[in-house]
Amino acid sequence: GPALLFVKTSQGKEEGRRFYACSACRDRKDCNFFQWEDEKVSETRLAAREEYNRNHQPPFTHRQNVDRYKNFVMLPLSKRRFCQECQQLLLPAEWEKHSDHQFLCDITTAQLKSPSQLLYPLENKKTNAQYLFADRSCQFLLNLLIDLGFRRVLSVGTPRLHEMIQSRASQEEGISVRSLLLDIDFRYSQFYAEDEFCHYNMFNHHFFGGEAAHETCRKFLYEENGERVIMVTDPPFGGLVEALASSFKKLMAMWKETEKEGHDNKEMPMFWIFPYFFESRILDFFPSFSMMDYQVDYDNHALYKHGKTGRRQSPVRIFTNLTPRMIVLPEEEGYRFCTVCERYVSSGNQHCEICNSCTSKDGRRWKHCVLCKKCVKPSWFHCNNCNCCTLEKHSCEKSDVGCFVCGKAGHKRSACPSLS
C-alpha cells in the first residue's frame, strides 16, 4: 500500500529532509523502498518497481483461496495436506510440485478452525510481530466483550481472538458474536471467507482488496438490531503510534458514518492492546482513553507471560475509551476494585493519597516522590543533579544532553519549539 512520509533530522539543524519509506516494514532488510520527497523518479525505475510488486503478489487471490478451501474440506482426511514451507493448503493435483517440501498430513477440521496454530507466526517485531494471545487472555477478552453487550468485534491484527469468536459461535447457541478480521497476513485468506477477513495494513489504513473490502468493513460496522460494535487491536509493539492512531481514527470515522443519528458525540468503543510505557503517546492521540491494569500475555513470547514477578511480568495492557469501572478484572488473579479510582487495579497497585490515584503501571507498589510531585518505581531514587527520579546507578552526564534539533536542554526533539 501507500508509503509513509518521514523526516531525517540532523543534530543542530531545524529542518530535516523528508522521504518516503514502507509503512509496514521499519527495517530496510524487509523492504528497501526509499524515495526522497523532492526526488524525480524515472520511468525506468517506476516500471522496475511495478514489475517487482507484480512478482511478489500471493499465488492466489482471496476469492480463489475461498474456492480452494471449499474443495479442500470435501477431501477425505488422508488427502488433506498442508505445505509447511509454502504455508499453503494443498490440493492433490499440487502434491508433486511440493514433493521435496515438508508438509503436514491428515489436516482435521479443528486445525482448519485454528489457523493461528497451523501457520508459522511471523515474529519480526517491527512488521508483523505475531505474538499470539495466550488462551487465558483470549478467553478473558471474549467473556468481557460478551458481558459488556458487544455482539460484533472488529478484530484488527488479533487472529487468535477472531478464531475463538468463530469457534464459539459455531458451538454455542443463544449468544452470537460475530468478528471481522483485518490483518496484513494474507495467509489467513486461505481459511476465511471475504466477509470474515480483509487483507489490511493498519499503518496506512490500506485495504488491499480495494473498494469491495472497504465496503465489507463499512457494512460490518453498521449497527443493526442493536448489535453493538467494538474494535479490538493488538499492533506490533515496534510500530509507530502516530501512524497507528491515524488509521484507527479513520476506522472510527467509518463507524460514525454508518449511522447519521446517535454517533455524533461518541467514539467507537475500542480496546487498544499495547505496552504500558506507551501510555503518554496513546493519550496524546486519544485523550478519552485510560489504561487498565490487566496483564495481557502471549503464547509465543518468552517475556510477556502472566504471573511472573517484578520486571518479568508482562508489560502489555488494555487501553480503552470505555468507562473504567465497567471493565471487571478477575479477583482470583489478584485484581481488586478501588472505590476511590472507581476501577479494578492489581493487588500491588496501592492508592496514593497525595496523587489521589492508584499510580503503579507495572503491578509493583510505587512510592511517592515529594520533589518530583509524583509516584515513581520502587527501584528509583531522586537525583539532585538530574532533578528527577531515576535508577540509583545511572550516568548524570545525560542530563546535559540537549534537544537533537536545537541543542537546548529541557525538551526532546518531538517537542522542540523549532519544529513547525
Side-chain angles (χ1 to χ4, degrees):
L4 290 182
L5 185 61
F6 297 88
V7 61
K8 195 183 281 275
T9 55
S10 302
Q11 183 84 44
K13 289 188 178 180
E14 289 187 16
E15 288 188 20
R17 193 175 178 191
R18 284 144 60 107
F19 65 94
Y20 290 100
C22 180
S23 61
C25 303
R26 300 276 304 282
D27 198 322
R28 290 281 165 77
K29 293 174 186 174
D30 299 313
C31 179
N32 62 5
F33 176 82
F34 181 94
Q35 183 182 311
W36 293 112
E37 185 189 21
D38 53 6
E39 181 183 1
K40 288 186 178 178
V41 183
S42 67
E43 291 294 326
T44 308
R45 197 165 147 205
L46 280 173
R49 199 177 283 167
E50 288 292 330
E51 180 67 20
Y52 179 88
N53 287 345
R54 267 196 301 274
N55 293 336
H56 286 77
Q57 294 302 309
F60 301 103
T61 65
H62 194 168
R63 180 67 55 83
Q64 288 171 326
N65 273 335
V66 171
D67 292 337
R68 287 167 54 80
Y69 182 84
K70 289 175 182 173
N71 292 329
F72 189 88
V73 294
M74 297 294 286
L75 294 170
L77 200 64
S78 60
K79 291 194 174 183
R80 292 184 185 177
R81 292 187 181 181
F82 177 77
C83 179
Q84 289 183 293
E85 290 185 40
C86 301
Q87 294 285 282
Q88 186 180 313
L89 297 173
L90 298 180
L91 297 173
E94 299 161 346
W95 289 0
E96 191 176 343
K97 190 179 175 183
H98 299 260
S99 58
D100 57 343
H101 293 179
Q102 292 283 327
F103 49 80
L104 297 173
C105 299
D106 304 337
I107 303 299
T108 64
T109 304
Q111 285 175 295
L112 292 173
K113 291 190 180 299
S114 302
S116 70
Q117 296 180 18
L118 192 62
L119 300 167
Y120 285 136
L122 305 173
E123 294 183 353
N124 181 315
K125 290 183 179 66
K126 294 178 179 178
T127 311
N128 303 96
Q130 286 180 330
Y131 297 119
L132 302 162
F133 292 145
D135 194 60
R136 160 194 164 267
S137 290
C138 218
Q139 293 278 7
F140 165 76
L141 281 168
L142 182 50
N143 291 335
L144 177 62
L145 296 173
I146 292 170
D147 292 344
L148 290 169
F150 294 104
R151 294 296 173 262
R152 295 193 199 187
V153 182
L154 186 65
S155 304
V156 184
T158 58
R160 188 153 284 181
L161 178 64
H162 174 73
E163 66 188 42
M164 184 175 279
I165 292 171
Q166 299 279 83
S167 175
R168 192 176 287 194
S170 64
Q171 293 171 7
E172 296 182 10
E173 294 181 7
I175 295 175
S176 176
V177 181
R178 289 173 54 207
S179 172
L180 172 64
L181 176 64
L182 306 186
D183 204 289
I184 200 166
D185 187 353
F186 190 68
R187 298 177 301 171
Y188 284 105
S189 68
Q190 298 179 86
F191 304 92
Y192 298 122
E194 288 161 301
D195 62 348
E196 296 171 325
F197 168 76
C198 292
H199 191 200
Y200 176 77
N201 181 352
M202 70 173 81
F203 290 105
N204 59 4
H205 188 59
H206 179 68
F207 287 88
F208 292 87
E211 188 54 40
H214 193 275
E215 183 61 16
T216 297
C217 183
R218 196 196 68 79
K219 279 183 178 177
F220 183 84
L221 294 175
Y222 182 77
E223 296 182 1
E224 57 185 352
N225 304 323
E227 291 186 338
R228 296 172 64 212
V229 178
I230 186 169
M231 173 164 58
V232 181
T233 182
D234 181 35
F237 302 151
L240 281 172
V241 173
E242 185 174 1
L244 292 167
S246 174
S247 295
F248 299 157
K249 284 183 177 181
K250 286 172 183 171
L251 287 170
M252 286 176 155
M254 282 177 67
W255 171 81
K256 239 179 185 179
E257 289 165 7
T258 59
E259 193 176 324
K260 291 180 181 176
E261 296 176 13
H263 288 177
D264 293 348
N265 300 312
K266 292 180 184 176
E267 276 184 337
M268 177 184 179
M270 180 175 165
F271 283 171
W272 180 342
I273 294 158
F274 226 49
Y276 68 80
F277 37 81
F278 284 102
E279 182 182 21
S280 62
R281 295 289 294 139
I282 290 176
L283 296 184
D284 281 344
F285 297 102
F286 294 103
S288 63
F289 277 38
S290 51
M291 187 180 82
M292 302 296 99
D293 273 23
Y294 183 80
Q295 289 183 24
V296 179
D297 58 333
Y298 296 79
D299 261 352
N300 56 327
H301 197 294
L303 295 178
Y304 295 176
K305 299 284 187 187
H306 173 69
K308 294 188 176 183
T309 57
R311 297 191 67 186
R312 307 299 289 179
Q313 296 178 88
S314 171
V316 187
R317 303 289 184 266
I318 300 170
F319 294 86
T320 182
N321 51 3
L322 297 177
T323 308
R325 67 172 176 272
M326 295 167 63
I327 314 298
V328 179
L329 304 185
E331 292 182 10
E332 65 273 14
E333 291 185 17
Y335 299 101
R336 60 178 181 82
F337 188 76
C338 174
T339 53
V340 184
C341 296
E342 289 194 311
R343 69 180 181 98
Y344 278 82
V345 296
S346 61
S347 55
N349 191 358
Q350 296 299 308
H351 193 87
C352 174
E353 299 295 338
I354 304 168
C355 296
N356 194 30
S357 174
C358 291
T359 51
S360 172
K361 309 292 182 188
D362 59 10
R364 297 177 294 171
R365 184 171 183 170
W366 285 22
K367 61 185 182 182
H368 190 85
C369 174
V370 178
L371 296 172
C372 289
K373 297 180 181 177
K374 64 178 182 180
C375 286
V376 296
K377 293 180 179 180
S379 55
W380 286 15
F381 296 89
H382 195 86
C383 172
N384 291 323
N385 290 335
C386 299
N387 196 30
C388 67
C389 282
T390 183
L391 288 167
E392 193 170 18
K393 293 179 181 178
H394 72 282
S395 176
C396 288
E397 292 85 31
K398 289 183 180 178
S399 62
D400 298 328
V401 176
C403 166
F404 189 71
V405 177
C406 68
K408 294 177 182 176
H411 63 267
K412 295 182 179 178
R413 185 194 70 80
S414 58
C416 182
S418 301
L419 293 174
S420 58

